[in-house]
Amino acid sequence: MTKPTFMHLSALPGLVNCCVVGPLQRLKSKGSESEDETQIYSRLLFGILQTLLQAQLLKKGQPQHRVPKELLDVLMSLLTAENLRRIVESFNRVIIEGSIMPQAEEVQTSLDRFSQVVQVALATGTTHCSRGNMVDICKGLPNNKLLHLILSHSNKMDVSQKATASPQKQSLPVDMQH
């Protein structure tokens, strides 16, 4: 008798979307975000980052954090490439529909939040999204220094990993447009 298979769902992608796109919704409706709302989104981001870091501890199987094998699959795919693609699409849709300038402080803050989640997810292995996929997913986003730094660093890591795997085939890092 085979075990029934089911897709593991996580609330994390929706929370990331809320944290990243939520502040722009207010801007889109021509209002300004209050200090309380800013704090709520910042605390939500902090909770998301803590969750990703905690998942890494569980994946490593620390003695005080023994986890059943079935849960490891869930922990390794808290944020999938498709989840991240949907967040980017949602972000871009809000900017276009709201005629929001990409240089606006709120847009840059939202991109910084997204960048932090991407960096921690990649560093902790809580995403099945490859570094190359991440670059492709983020291509349509407005310029952001933190995102550019993370994606450039990711790209250089891919190149150095390829170089150590096959020394005769070295390539140069691709310059990101972000």
Side-chain angles (χ1 to χ4, degrees):
M1 186 157 134
T2 62
K3 279 185 164 179
T5 59
F6 59 93
M7 189 171 129
H8 300 287
L9 297 177
S10 167
L12 204 59
L15 293 171
V16 171
N17 191 59
C18 179
C19 176
V20 171
V21 179
L24 298 177
Q25 292 288 1
R26 172 70 80 175
L27 192 60
K28 177 182 160 185
S29 64
K30 307 298 183 221
S32 62
E33 192 174 75
S34 73
E35 186 64 31
D36 287 342
E37 288 174 317
T38 301
Q39 286 296 317
I40 289 170
Y41 289 121
S42 294
R43 288 179 182 159
L44 176 58
L45 174 65
F46 182 68
I48 291 167
L49 298 176
Q50 282 185 314
T51 299
L52 294 173
L53 290 170
Q54 187 66 30
Q56 181 186 30
L57 289 176
L58 294 172
K59 278 177 46 186
K60 287 184 175 181
Q62 303 294 330
Q64 67 272 27
H65 302 291
R66 294 281 180 216
V67 177
K69 183 179 176 338
E70 296 80 26
L71 185 57
L72 287 177
D73 292 338
V74 174
L75 294 174
M76 289 185 62
S77 59
L78 288 174
L79 291 169
T80 65
E82 186 57 33
N83 296 146
L84 294 168
R85 189 177 324 279
R86 286 182 183 153
I87 293 167
V88 167
E89 288 170 359
S90 177
F91 180 88
N92 283 331
R93 187 173 43 255
V94 169
I95 289 177
I96 291 168
E97 290 173 0
S99 300
I100 302 170
M101 298 300 296
Q103 301 82 10
E105 182 181 340
E106 294 84 355
V107 171
Q108 292 303 309
T109 300
S110 290
L111 286 170
D112 285 346
R113 290 175 178 163
F114 179 73
S115 301
Q116 291 171 28
V117 171
V118 166
Q119 175 61 29
V120 174
L122 287 171
T124 58
T126 51
T127 179
H128 271 182
C129 188
S130 72
R131 293 181 184 276
N133 268 350
M134 191 64 70
V135 170
D136 288 340
I137 290 168
C138 295
K139 276 186 181 173
L141 288 172
N143 290 337
N144 177 270
K145 289 179 183 179
L146 182 58
L147 185 59
H148 174 71
L149 179 68
I150 291 167
L151 295 177
S152 294
H153 179 70
S154 296
N155 195 29
K156 289 176 186 170
M157 286 181 64
D158 283 349
V159 170
S160 66
Q161 288 170 353
K162 288 177 187 174
T164 57
S166 57
Q168 68 274 16
K169 290 185 177 181
Q170 287 191 338
S171 60
L172 297 174
V174 177
D175 186 28
M176 297 300 302
Q177 296 296 320
H178 302 292

